[in-house]
Amino acid sequence: MARRTIVDIFIPCFVDQLHPETGLSMVKVLEGLGCEVNYNPNQTCCGQPAFNAGFFDEAREVANKFLDDFSNETSHYIVAPSASCVGMVRNAYQDIFVKSSKLVKYRAMQKKVFELTEFLTDVLKVSQVPGARLDGKATYHDSCSALRECHIKEGPRALLQGVHGLEMIEMEDTETCCGFGGTFAVKFEAISVAMAEQKVENALATGADYIISTDSSCLMHLNGYIQKNRKPIKTMHIADVLASGW
C-alpha cells in the first residue's frame, strides 16, 4: 500500500479568529485527496504582524516558537491557507535566523512550507479537486504575498477552472494590491479604501458573483468595502471553493 502524505497544518490568526470554516475546508480538501492531516494545538502566530510593525525582538520570539512547533517531524509537509504567512516563514524568517544557531534547523523546515494551492498543484500534482462545485461566475485576486513572495499565479487558476459550475473571468489589474497591507490599512486609511474600491469595481465589471483569493486578510478588507457600500458581490477563500459541493 502506498504511503500516505503527512501534512501538519498551520492555521493563521485571521482564519483561526474570523474564518475557522476556511481551516476546516482545507482539512476536508487535504483528507479528500488522501493526506493524513495533523494539527498541533500549541501553534500560535507566525510573527508577521510584529515583524512588519518593526518589533523584531517580539517577532523573533514568535518565530522561535513556530520553529519548535513545526520542526519535530522532518518528513512532514507544513501547509497553510495563507500565502501571507507562508511568505513570512519562507522569506522573513531568513533575516530572523541568519545569525542564529537554529539556522540549519530553519533551513530544513523552510523547504517543507507550502501555501495550500501550491501544495496541491506542485506537490500532490493535482489540477482538479474531485466533486468541487460552485455555480456562478468568479474572478481571482492575486494577493501580493502569493504573487510576489511565493510566486503563485497559475496554480490557483488551474484549480478553479476545474470547479464544476464555476466560470472564471479575469478582472482588470488583477495583480494590483487590494489595499490591505496589514498596518498600511490603519496608517493610510483613505488610500487603503480607495485601493479596495478600485479592486471591487474591477471585479464587478466582469459580472462576477465572487472574488476568490488565497488570503483571508485581503478578502476581509475587500468584504468590508463591499458590505459598507452594499456591492452585489461576495468574497470566498479558495479553500472554501474547493471544499464546496461535496
Side-chain angles (χ1 to χ4, degrees):
M1 184 173 68
R3 184 178 180 182
R4 300 184 74 186
T5 301
I6 302 175
V7 175
D8 293 333
I9 59 170
F10 173 62
I11 304 299
C13 302
F14 272 107
V15 173
D16 180 51
Q17 296 297 314
L18 299 175
H19 300 287
E21 70 281 358
T22 297
L24 295 173
S25 292
M26 178 176 70
V27 173
K28 179 181 178 180
V29 170
L30 290 171
E31 289 185 339
L33 292 170
C35 296
E36 179 181 330
V37 178
N38 297 327
Y39 173 75
N40 181 355
N42 292 322
Q43 65 181 267
T44 54
C45 179
C46 67
Q48 183 179 185
F51 186 83
N52 289 347
F55 295 97
F56 301 125
D57 290 340
E58 289 80 359
R60 183 176 297 106
E61 182 178 351
V62 178
N64 274 298
K65 186 180 188 310
F66 187 99
L67 188 61
D68 291 339
D69 288 340
F70 287 97
S71 295
N72 295 326
E73 298 289 346
T74 56
S75 62
H76 295 192
Y77 292 100
I78 303 164
V79 179
S82 168
S84 178
C85 293
V86 169
M88 172 69 186
V89 175
R90 276 193 195 160
N91 303 313
Y93 275 23
Q94 296 185 91
D95 295 330
I96 291 175
F97 291 112
V98 66
K99 295 181 179 179
S100 169
S101 60
K102 295 184 177 181
L103 180 61
V104 173
K105 185 178 181 181
Y106 163 65
R107 291 294 190 203
M109 186 195 72
Q110 183 188 32
K111 300 174 183 178
K112 303 185 300 175
V113 181
F114 292 88
E115 181 272 332
L116 173 63
T117 64
E118 66 172 348
F119 180 73
L120 298 182
T121 58
D122 297 355
V123 178
L124 298 184
K125 304 301 181 182
V126 168
S127 59
Q128 184 178 25
V129 174
R133 183 178 190 91
L134 180 65
D135 294 322
K137 298 179 180 180
T139 190
Y140 179 77
H141 161 60
D142 289 286
S143 77
C144 292
S145 295
L147 184 67
R148 296 173 176 85
E149 290 191 61
C150 299
H151 309 294
I152 297 169
K153 185 172 178 66
E154 300 305 327
R157 288 171 167 82
L159 291 167
L160 291 170
Q161 289 288 352
V163 176
H164 294 292
L166 189 62
E167 179 184 352
M168 294 300 300
I169 309 167
E170 286 288 333
M171 74 172 104
E172 185 179 353
D173 297 328
T174 184
E175 296 185 357
T176 299
C177 179
C178 70
F180 177 62
T183 56
F184 177 86
V186 178
K187 294 178 179 178
F188 304 98
E189 180 183 355
I191 300 174
S192 176
V193 172
M195 294 172 74
E197 178 183 14
Q198 180 188 51
K199 179 65 67 171
V200 171
E201 291 301 326
N202 284 342
L204 286 169
T206 68
D209 304 299
Y210 304 97
I211 301 174
I212 300 171
S213 187
T214 55
D215 283 78
S216 294
S217 52
C218 295
L219 296 172
M220 179 195 70
H221 180 61
L222 294 173
N223 192 54
Y225 177 84
I226 289 168
Q227 293 294 319
K228 183 175 181 179
N229 294 278
R230 300 181 181 179
K231 298 294 183 177
I233 195 167
K234 298 177 181 178
T235 59
M236 284 190 74
H237 192 285
I238 193 167
D240 297 316
V241 175
L242 298 177
S244 295
W246 57 285

